[in-house]
Amino acid sequence: MLTVHHLNNSRSQRVLWLLEELGVPYEIVRYQRQPDMRAPQELRAIHPLGKSPVITDNGNTIAESGAIIEYLIATYGNGRLIPPPNTPERLRYTYWLHYAEGSAMQPLLLKLLFTLMPKRAPALLRPLVRKVSNQALTALVNPQLKQHMDYWEAELGKSEWFAGNEFTAADIQMSFPLEAAQARGGLEQGHPRAMAFLDRIHARPAYARALEKGGPYQVGR
């Protein structure tokens, strides 16, 4: 049976959600983050990088959210949650599927890093680290993040979902950046379409079932 190696509060929640949308049977092997929020060493026995998400299926070990989604849609989708080939919607689908991790998550990760650095710095260095972090956030990270959030808002003005008027796996992939932006990027300020997107995905029964199976889920809080 397909196995999801699931780390709490991680991108693997999207994999559970996709499987629930597709109605594919699966089992979960659970891993808990360490106090420093890193994945436990046990995940390296599944994949050398020790990251989540990872799935195993029919002798295959697959990591990276985009690669997992492509595999699951190709293997179990039967044409569902993906636009038809050679359509504008398919091109948009492919773009958002890869943009989510390739571009959108970079400023969000930098935002998290520079926010945490002062809190974890030695007491004597904390004022200096806080000053450097605040300068980086103000000059570099926050403007980039706002540019991305404004981009999402504009694109969601063209259609209800990222790839078009139908919900697809690209929306599942894009859920993590938008949830992270809501948690730590100020998405709720001036981005009503993006916030409505989050309301729509959170109302989906498959999303709720994935939460029940995956456990508590809070991004960036």
Side-chain angles (χ1 to χ4, degrees), residues 41-142:
Q41 291 291 325
E42 290 84 351
L43 266 173
R44 289 193 178 181
I46 309 301
H47 188 276
L49 294 181
K51 303 289 186 180
S52 181
V54 179
I55 66 169
T56 50
D57 186 43
N58 293 324
N60 301 308
T61 299
I62 307 162
E64 294 292 338
S65 301
I68 291 171
I69 288 176
E70 289 197 48
Y71 172 83
L72 293 176
I73 291 294
T75 307
Y76 299 105
N78 295 317
R80 294 172 293 167
L81 300 184
I82 184 171
N86 302 316
T87 61
E89 290 79 10
R90 181 63 164 266
L91 186 60
R92 290 180 67 186
Y93 168 91
T94 302
Y95 170 77
W96 292 110
L97 194 66
H98 294 282
Y99 161 89
E101 293 292 335
S103 296
M105 285 305 299
Q106 293 180 23
L108 287 160
L109 289 172
L110 288 172
K111 176 89 170 180
L112 179 62
L113 175 64
F114 285 116
T115 301
L116 290 177
M117 279 174 58
K119 300 176 183 178
R120 299 187 177 183
L124 289 176
L125 295 177
R126 200 164 296 153
L128 176 60
V129 174
R130 182 178 293 111
K131 181 179 180 180
V132 172
S133 295
N134 288 341
Q135 288 177 341
L137 288 168
T138 301
L140 176 66
V141 178
N142 290 340

Side-chain angles (χ1 to χ4, degrees), residues 187-209:
L187 183 68
E188 69 281 358
Q189 300 172 10
H191 304 96
R193 296 189 190 100
M195 294 299 293
F197 170 87
L198 290 178
D199 289 339
R200 289 196 298 276
I201 65 171
H202 293 161
R204 295 184 71 86
Y207 185 97
R209 291 196 301 271

Side-chain angles (χ1 to χ4, degrees), residues 132-163:
V132 172
S133 295
N134 288 341
Q135 288 177 341
L137 288 168
T138 301
L140 176 66
V141 178
N142 290 340
Q144 285 190 19
L145 182 53
K146 184 179 186 304
Q147 184 179 20
H148 281 276
M149 293 190 296
D150 291 347
Y151 177 44
W152 307 337
E153 185 71 11
E155 290 297 307
L156 288 170
K158 299 176 181 177
S159 57
E160 184 176 11
W161 302 103
F162 276 102

